[in-house]
């Protein structure tokens, strides 16, 4: 596939902006409510704001975490918001009422990672070398660990009965309710991120040694894709699990997992960013990427004319979140700007 260079950006490809808002610091988390009406934004100052997705106005604002908020996630079905921060706890915020937040204890100074199971029945939080599983009401289900080192990422299985936790030395797969270690995927290296394919066949990790490591869960076989110029933190599977997009420099490598898999096949190379890519997110068959250059690109990796559209921010992109209906994408940046970009004219 030909590379698309920065000089080829055309005004005809520029995404229209629905609205733009400012929050108080670097955007560390973005999450849409299940109905698409609200957008939660976490910042490095420790605040969490819930914006009206229709116009960007503030619906709720919380001083959520001392020293900084690290992530935020809406419940898949309810007006319930989970956040984690540098005060060593996670909190559950019930929107639309006066109830105080529910505090979920951690095991270290930071609650770095959290994620709802696909059905919303459980929440996993990771802090230091331990992970905890909770019910939506804040009732503790189980605590697992210690892992070999600080947990660097968590990911749920499609069925929501298992979750994966990555760290230095490999990935551990746990029974979410029983807290039983089901499987260990070993790799003697520092794993920075983890993603579980929607098909359930693959677990992939970005690595400190500028590579991507993945395991086929059906056979236990593992493979490594190397040659990246920098460490790989950004990973994203498409909705079917056919494509794995990876960052690790200014280019995006998209691996084709169909048929025999990626071994021995060249990845699709998407080349428009001028600074490292920090965020990747799929919706349907479209991929969004955000880089330190403030550029957001919309791609269709399966086509020769891969890039569909772009948008520009004045600061580096830190987070991306697709609207549930795929019609627009929310973008947060290092200066605290949040914008909603309209994709309807570029997607079928």
């Amino acid at each position: 596939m030909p590379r698309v260079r920065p000089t080829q950006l055309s005004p005809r490809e520029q995404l229209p902006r629905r609205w733009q808002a400012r929050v108080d610091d670097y955007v560390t988390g973005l999450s849409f409510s299940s109905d698409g009406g609200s957008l939660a934004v976490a910042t490095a100052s420790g605040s969490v704001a819930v914006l009206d997705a229709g116009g960007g106005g503030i619906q709720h604002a919380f001083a959520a975490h001392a020293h900084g908020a690290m992530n935020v996630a809406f419940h898949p079905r309810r007006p319930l918001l989970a956040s984690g921060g540098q005060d060593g706890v996670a909190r559950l915020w019930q929107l639309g009422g006066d109830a105080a937040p529910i505090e979920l204890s951690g095991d270290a100074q930071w609650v770095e990672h959290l994620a709802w199971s696909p059905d919303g029945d459980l929440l996993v939080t990771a802090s230091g070398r331990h992970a905890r599983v909770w019910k939506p009401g804040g009732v503790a289900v189980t605590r697992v660990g210690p892992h070999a080192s600080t947990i660097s990422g968590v990911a749920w299985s499609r069925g929501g009965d298992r979750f994966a936790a990555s760290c230095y030395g490999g990935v551990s797969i746990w029974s979410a309710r029983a807290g039983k270690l089901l499987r260990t995927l070993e790799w003697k290296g520092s794993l920075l991120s983890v993603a579980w394919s929607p098909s359930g066949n693959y677990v992939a990790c970005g690595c400190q040694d500028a590579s991507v490591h993945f395991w086929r869960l059906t056979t236990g076989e593992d493979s490594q894709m190397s040659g990246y110029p920098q460490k790989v933190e950004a990973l994203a599977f498409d909705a079917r699990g056919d494509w794995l997009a990876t960052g690790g420099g200014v280019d995006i490598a998209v691996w084709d997992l169909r048929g025999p898999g990626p071994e021995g096949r060249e990845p699709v190379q998407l080349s428009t960013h001028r600074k490292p890519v920090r965020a990747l997110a799929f919706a349907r068959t479209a991929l969004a990427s955000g880089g330190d250059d403030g550029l957001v690109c919309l791609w269709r990796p399966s086509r020769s004319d891969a890039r569909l559209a772009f948008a520009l921010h004045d600061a580096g992109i830190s987070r991306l979140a697709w609207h549930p209906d795929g019609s627009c994408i929310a973008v947060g940046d290092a200066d605290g700007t949040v914008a909603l970009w309209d994709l309807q004219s570029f997607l079928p």
Side-chain angles (χ1 to χ4, degrees):
M1 175 175 292
R3 293 176 181 266
V4 183
R5 304 314 310 178
T7 53
Q8 294 174 287
L9 294 176
S10 165
R12 295 191 303 275
E13 296 177 319
Q14 189 154 7
L15 290 167
R17 187 174 62 204
R18 292 191 184 180
W19 53 259
Q20 179 174 297
R22 291 280 295 180
V23 291
D24 60 357
D25 209 335
Y26 185 105
V27 175
T28 57
L30 289 176
S31 179
F32 276 103
S33 60
S34 59
D35 64 3
S38 299
L39 175 69
V41 185
T43 75
S45 73
S47 70
V48 170
V50 180
L51 307 182
D52 171 18
I58 295 177
Q59 296 175 328
H60 307 276
F62 310 111
H65 297 278
H67 315 302
M70 302 194 72
N71 40 60
V72 66
F74 258 111
H75 187 275
R77 296 191 307 268
R78 307 181 192 174
L80 180 65
L81 192 63
S83 65
Q86 296 185 37
D87 49 5
V89 299
R91 290 187 171 90
L92 294 174
W93 308 86
Q94 183 69 49
L95 305 183
D98 298 326
I102 299 171
E103 189 168 295
L104 310 179
S105 56
D107 294 279
Q109 291 181 325
W110 294 3
V111 176
E112 293 187 77
H113 309 282
L114 55 80
W116 292 103
S117 61
D119 57 12
D121 286 349
L122 298 171
L123 173 74
V124 62
T125 61
S127 176
R129 296 167 65 190
H130 289 82
R132 297 184 184 228
V133 179
W134 311 84
K135 292 183 179 179
V139 175
V141 176
T142 190
R143 175 177 179 262
V144 302
H147 291 74
S149 63
T150 298
I151 295 172
S152 59
V154 293
W156 284 95
S157 66
R158 179 177 57 183
D161 58 333
R162 295 164 292 158
F163 70 90
S166 60
C167 66
Y168 185 93
V171 178
S172 301
I173 296 179
W174 300 88
S175 165
R177 294 187 180 275
K180 180 182 178 181
L181 179 62
L182 301 175
R183 195 167 183 179
T184 300
L185 309 174
E186 296 184 355
W187 175 247
K188 295 187 182 301
S190 182
L191 306 181
L192 304 178
S193 54
V194 61
W196 201 324
S197 71
S199 65
N201 295 331
Y202 294 98
V203 167
C205 290
C207 304
Q208 179 72 36
D209 65 357
S211 70
V212 172
H213 206 84
F214 77 93
W215 291 262
R216 283 183 173 84
L217 297 184
T218 52
T219 64
E221 295 176 312
D222 65 314
S223 295
Q224 185 178 21
M225 290 90 89
S226 57
Y228 294 84
Q230 298 179 5
K231 63 184 180 182
V232 181
E233 295 181 276
L235 297 173
F237 283 102
D238 77 315
R240 296 176 58 180
D242 290 341
W243 300 91
L244 172 64
T246 59
V250 298
D251 294 336
I252 303 159
V254 185
W255 299 90
D256 188 348
L257 305 180
R258 297 171 298 179
E263 293 93 344
R265 302 161 74 180
E266 289 294 320
V268 176
Q269 294 281 349
L270 307 178
S271 306
T272 295
H273 289 280
R274 290 157 284 185
K275 292 184 179 180
V277 172
R278 298 299 179 193
L280 294 167
F282 266 106
R284 302 176 187 167
T285 59
L287 171 67
S289 62
D292 283 343
D293 50 6
L295 185 63
V296 180
C297 287
L298 181 67
W299 311 87
R300 181 148 305 142
S302 60
R303 295 171 55 168
S304 59
D305 52 343
R307 195 186 65 219
L308 298 173
F310 73 93
L312 283 170
H313 280 232
D314 292 332
I317 306 305
S318 57
R319 293 292 186 272
L320 301 170
W322 284 88
H323 190 278
D325 69 7
S327 66
C328 56
I329 189 165
V331 179
D333 70 28
D335 281 350
T337 297
V338 180
L340 196 70
W341 298 94
D342 195 335
L343 311 177
Q344 292 188 81
S345 60
F346 293 92
L347 295 176

